[in-house]
Amino acid sequence: MSTSLNAGTSRGRVIVVGAINVDLVVAAERLPGPGETVVGTRVERYGGGKGANAAVAAARAGAEVHLVGAVGADANGTQALDELTAEGIWVDGVTVLEHEATGVALIVVDPRAENQIAVGAGANAALSAAYVTRALASVLRPSDSVLVSTEIPDAAVEAAVVAAASAGARCVLNPAPPIPGVADLLGYGPILTPNAGECVELAKMLGDEHTDAREAAAAIMARTGAPVVVTLGDDGALVLRPDGNIDHVRPRPTVARDTTGAGDTFNGVLITRLAGGDELDDAARAANVAAALSVAHVGARAGMPRATDIEAGSRA
């Protein structure tokens, strides 16, 4: 059982449901084209997976974090859990599957910090809805905030969103990637946090053809009745609320070395700030600062800031 390293500084209790991976990163002079091999100088291993990454971001931002997910009964799984425990994350909700491998992401990063990612889901693909339901039943409280990402099966995502709604807990759903099952969950009113491309794609799944992220987000919000936060990379973020207010969170100047995990950082800090009582606009501004800080280092988690770093960055 993990113990929290953030005791005494918690901004609330956060439950994260999502993927746990190992990231293998190759730094190359350019990204490969179709059928092309590009040779990099080195391979580096990092902890990854959208669920695990967001959990680390939330823990560093000051939340008490419980993670629900799956790893394989292999060395990668053991190391992944050890790394998460060292971050103060409760991993009791992570199941170890005997006949599955831990998920692996293969990442190529170029000098401009652009990347290409291919993921072998492994144990993440075997995370069942029944397990998610049981795991959340043992830990979830109405005062909790739940963050769900979609690198796990549709049924597991649905189980997490339904459990949060049934408990009366706040739910943030990061549709990365936008899976077909997301459309069926909008009636539960989760706060959605797509990037611009995901926002347009999700709106299209709903039958709303928009090429502009703002228009697509408004169409989605009309279905959920809940806010939509669209991450825009170098352009910051948009916060759309059902009362008609739209806030453009301005970008933060930064020198990017690797954008892997920036979205996970944003989501982890956003849910932490909401769990601690911040208004959505304030939470999004803090999350935007954290994401900008995170890209200054190679590896999804290496640059994820602590709460004090986020506060300092917010004042800069």
Side-chain angles (χ1 to χ4, degrees):
M1 177 180 293
S2 167
T3 57
S4 173
L5 300 183
N6 299 299
T9 61
S10 177
R11 296 185 59 89
R13 214 167 77 123
V14 168
I15 316 297
V16 179
V17 183
I20 304 167
N21 288 331
V22 170
D23 289 351
L24 300 178
V25 181
V26 175
E29 286 302 310
R30 56 187 175 83
L31 302 180
E36 182 183 17
T37 298
V38 173
V39 178
T41 57
R42 65 188 186 278
V43 179
E44 298 188 50
R45 180 207 178 279
Y46 301 95
K50 287 188 174 299
N53 289 344
V56 171
R60 291 186 186 178
E64 176 189 326
V65 183
H66 296 251
L67 179 61
V68 175
V71 296
D74 52 22
N76 281 336
T78 299
Q79 186 168 354
L81 293 181
D82 287 345
E83 290 169 351
L84 293 165
T85 299
E87 294 282 354
I89 296 166
W90 294 78
V91 297
D92 304 65
V94 177
T95 182
V96 179
L97 302 177
E98 291 293 334
H99 302 294
E100 300 288 345
T102 299
V104 175
L106 307 176
I107 304 170
V108 182
V109 180
D110 73 9
R112 297 175 302 168
E114 297 295 331
N115 59 46
Q116 289 179 341
I117 305 174
V119 178
N124 297 307
L127 182 65
S128 71
Y131 177 79
V132 170
T133 298
R134 289 196 305 272
L136 290 177
S138 68
V139 69
L140 186 56
R141 303 185 302 219
S143 58
D144 292 338
S145 295
V146 180
L147 173 63
V148 187
S149 55
T150 57
E151 285 183 330
I152 55 177
D154 288 24
V157 172
E158 179 179 2
V161 174
V162 170
S166 299
R170 174 189 292 108
C171 182
V172 172
L173 175 57
N174 178 221
I179 57 177
V182 169
D184 298 328
L185 300 175
L186 299 187
Y188 292 98
I191 298 172
L192 293 174
T193 57
N195 64 27
E198 292 158 354
C199 188
V200 170
E201 185 178 348
L202 183 55
K204 188 177 296 184
M205 288 180 180
L206 299 172
D208 294 300
E209 296 286 340
H210 297 284
T211 57
D212 177 77
R214 185 185 298 237
E215 294 177 356
I220 294 167
M221 187 169 60
R223 304 290 187 98
T224 63
V228 177
V229 180
V230 185
T231 56
L232 303 174
D234 290 343
D235 291 328
L238 286 175
V239 180
L240 289 82
R241 295 187 301 280
D243 61 9
N245 286 325
I246 300 176
D247 182 30
H248 183 193
V249 179
R250 300 296 176 182
R252 304 286 301 186
T254 186
V255 177
R257 294 186 61 200
D258 182 5
T259 57
T260 308
D264 306 330
T265 302
F266 185 98
N267 279 278
V269 174
L270 181 77
I271 194 76
T272 297
R273 291 294 183 129
L274 291 174
D278 283 11
E279 295 295 331
L280 182 59
D281 288 359
D282 292 334
R285 281 190 282 273
N288 191 54
V289 169
L293 292 171
S294 75
V295 301
H297 300 265
V298 176
R301 301 178 192 168
M304 287 181 174
R306 304 279 175 186
T308 52
D309 302 320
I310 298 169
E311 296 298 335
S314 298
R315 293 191 297 269

